Amino acid sequence: MKLNIPAGYHISVAAEGMRRLRFLAKSPDGRLFCTDMHSLADNQRGRIYIFDNWDNTTKQFRKTTLFADKLHNPNQVMFYTDKGINYIYIAETDKLSRYPYYSGDTTLTGQQQILATFPAQGLSYKYGGWHLTRSLAQHNGKIYVSVGSSCNACIEKEAIRATIIEMNPDGSAQKTFATGVRNSVAIKWVKDRLWGTMMSRDLMKPDNPEDMFGIMEQGKNYGWPFYAQNGQKIYPDKQMMDSARLQNITVPPKPPLAFCGFKPHSAPLGFDWFSNFSDPQLTNNFLVALHGSTSVWRQRGNAVVMITGRDKYVDVISGFQTGKNKADRLGRPCDVMMNDANSFFVTDDKNGALYYVWK
């Protein structure tokens, strides 16, 4: 695979040999953790890895440690200090749990605390309509979890579906923060605002609606399944409006516009805010990993992009897909994380690889 990167940059394979590397996190003692969901199935074979012993000559980690296994589709971990104790939070399909974390740990220690449970029934719409990932964020003493919808487009029977929920660090005082979010696979607080990637419904039109990136505010509804966005316009989903009318369901008002719309089926996943980065072209901008469509022929996504303005973005890393056939998709970027002022990491969950990009 030959990736296209900006002039003046280099790229290396920092670690490889895993299955479906997903989201990155740095521990309080400065180590790099990453989740691995193993396969596309509803499974109990997920893992968490630690990458250690960085070799600045080869630009690779010399050591990979299996920190935890036999997990239920772990999408993300997060570290948080509560009442003086460091914890690792693990987001699985069916639950959010935490364990005490001590510097240098090579495995889970202490007693598991289950903070929340989530719906985890079977795969009713391929593997992507039933959204099995749970995403994490933290801000001002609160923990946030994104819970995806159970379907492509439907009126949910479980209130927790298609929401962002808020809770105390110990899991208490759980409440709904935002609704109408079909599937936000990454959420992050930046400058006191909760940003997230949002995937829109399928099976509407080939080039409509857009996938999105924007701010989510407390108490607001973001439209799914009754509205969609395209070209900085919000319009009703006629099929779902008809369903609501037949079932005497009150439809919420139009949602606010998302800041950036990506081409339909781009599948935006992880992102990071590049604060005080050394490159003036990248600094103080969002970089987003576009995972790509399950319909490879669409040639959508499969790149790391930088958002340059409202509905504007440019490729930063491309070349993960070279044609319209399945064999032409050589990788699928999942998460991007700024490492320091000169470098960043990207995960590839097709190849189970971690890339290091530096200027």
Side-chain angles (χ1 to χ4, degrees):
M1 177 169 59
K2 182 177 176 57
L3 296 175
N4 306 310
I5 57 177
Y9 281 81
H10 305 272
I11 188 167
S12 67
V13 179
E16 58 185 332
M18 283 65 71
R19 294 291 298 262
R20 289 192 73 213
L21 280 188
R22 297 289 289 180
F23 280 74
L24 297 160
K26 280 193 177 177
S27 63
D29 51 338
R31 305 157 79 200
L32 188 62
F33 281 65
C34 193
T35 54
D36 186 328
M37 285 177 56
H38 188 271
S39 75
L40 293 171
D42 178 10
N43 68 83
Q44 304 281 346
R45 301 174 69 183
R47 295 179 165 189
I48 300 169
Y49 290 99
I50 310 171
F51 302 121
D52 270 324
N53 296 353
W54 177 252
D55 187 328
N56 203 46
T57 300
T58 63
K59 310 297 185 188
Q60 293 178 321
F61 289 100
R62 292 197 298 265
K63 183 179 180 182
T64 299
T65 301
L66 176 60
F67 181 76
D69 63 358
K70 299 180 181 178
L71 300 173
H72 189 189
N73 299 313
N75 183 61
Q76 191 175 355
V77 300
M78 182 179 72
F79 294 90
Y80 189 87
T81 302
D82 182 27
K83 298 176 181 177
I85 299 174
N86 290 329
Y87 290 95
I88 180 171
Y89 287 69
I90 304 174
E92 300 175 74
T93 295
D94 59 336
K95 62 184 175 294
L96 172 66
S97 59
R98 72 177 185 179
Y99 295 79
Y101 177 81
Y102 303 98
S103 294
D105 274 356
T106 57
T107 189
L108 291 172
T109 59
Q111 185 175 358
Q112 180 192 47
Q113 300 176 33
I114 297 177
L115 309 182
T117 57
F118 310 116
Q121 54 264 39
L123 306 177
S124 60
Y125 174 75
K126 297 184 180 179
Y127 53 76
W130 170 61
H131 298 117
L132 49 78
T133 61
R134 309 289 175 247
S135 306
L136 299 172
Q138 55 179 291
H139 184 64
N140 284 351
K142 299 291 184 180
I143 305 298
Y144 298 83
V145 186
S146 172
V147 182
S149 70
S150 67
C151 60
N152 177 45
C154 66
I155 296 172
E156 295 283 9
K157 297 179 181 178
E158 298 162 302
I160 199 171
R161 291 285 195 178
T163 68
I164 308 294
I165 62 171
E166 176 191 278
M167 66 185 76
N168 290 329
D170 63 0
S172 62
Q174 293 182 28
K175 65 180 182 180
T176 302
F177 180 82
T179 56
V181 184
R182 178 177 175 267
N183 189 29
S184 183
V185 184
I187 52 176
K188 187 171 295 186
W189 285 87
V190 178
K191 297 182 179 180
D192 291 326
R193 290 182 170 185
L194 182 61
W195 292 81
T197 52
M198 294 170 275
M199 281 190 273
S200 299
R201 65 162 293 182
D202 297 322
L203 308 178
M204 183 178 280
K205 294 180 180 179
D207 288 304
N208 202 341
E210 298 169 327
D211 290 334
M212 297 172 291
F213 176 79
I215 296 169
M216 289 172 277
E217 297 180 0
Q218 185 170 7
K220 289 192 176 180
N221 181 283
Y222 287 87
W224 183 88
F226 302 111
Y227 300 94
Q229 177 172 325
N230 195 61
Q232 286 294 299
K233 292 182 180 180
I234 303 293
Y235 58 91
D237 183 328
K238 186 178 183 301
Q239 178 185 5
M240 296 312 303
M241 289 291 188
D242 290 344
S243 294
R245 189 161 44 250
L246 290 171
Q247 298 178 54
N248 294 316
I249 292 172
T250 301
V251 174
K254 280 188 178 183
L257 281 166
F259 181 73
C260 185
F262 299 108
K263 289 181 179 179
H265 313 289
S266 292
L269 298 189
F271 66 93
D272 206 0
W273 171 254
F274 276 49
S275 177
N276 299 315
F277 198 67
S278 63
D279 185 345
Q281 299 299 314
L282 269 60
T283 192
N284 298 324
N285 284 306
F286 285 105
L287 265 66
V288 183
L290 302 183
H291 196 232
S293 174
T294 54
S295 302
V296 181
W297 59 267
R298 296 182 191 274
Q299 294 183 283
R300 296 288 168 82
N302 301 287
V304 175
V305 301
M306 178 176 67
I307 296 176
T308 58
R310 185 171 287 275
D311 265 6
K312 296 179 180 179
Y313 57 99
V314 296
D315 286 353
V316 175
I317 305 176
S318 61
F320 291 99
Q321 184 172 346
T322 59
K324 295 184 177 182
N325 298 316
K326 189 173 182 180
D328 298 324
R329 178 145 66 191
L330 309 177
R332 299 189 79 179
C334 178
D335 193 21
V336 55
M337 186 180 79
M338 179 176 159
N339 178 54
D340 57 29
N342 297 293
S343 66
F344 58 95
F345 291 108
V346 176
T347 60
D348 175 353
D349 73 354
K350 182 179 188 298
N351 293 307
L354 174 69
Y355 307 123
Y356 175 70
V357 185
W358 74 98
K359 182 174 172 59

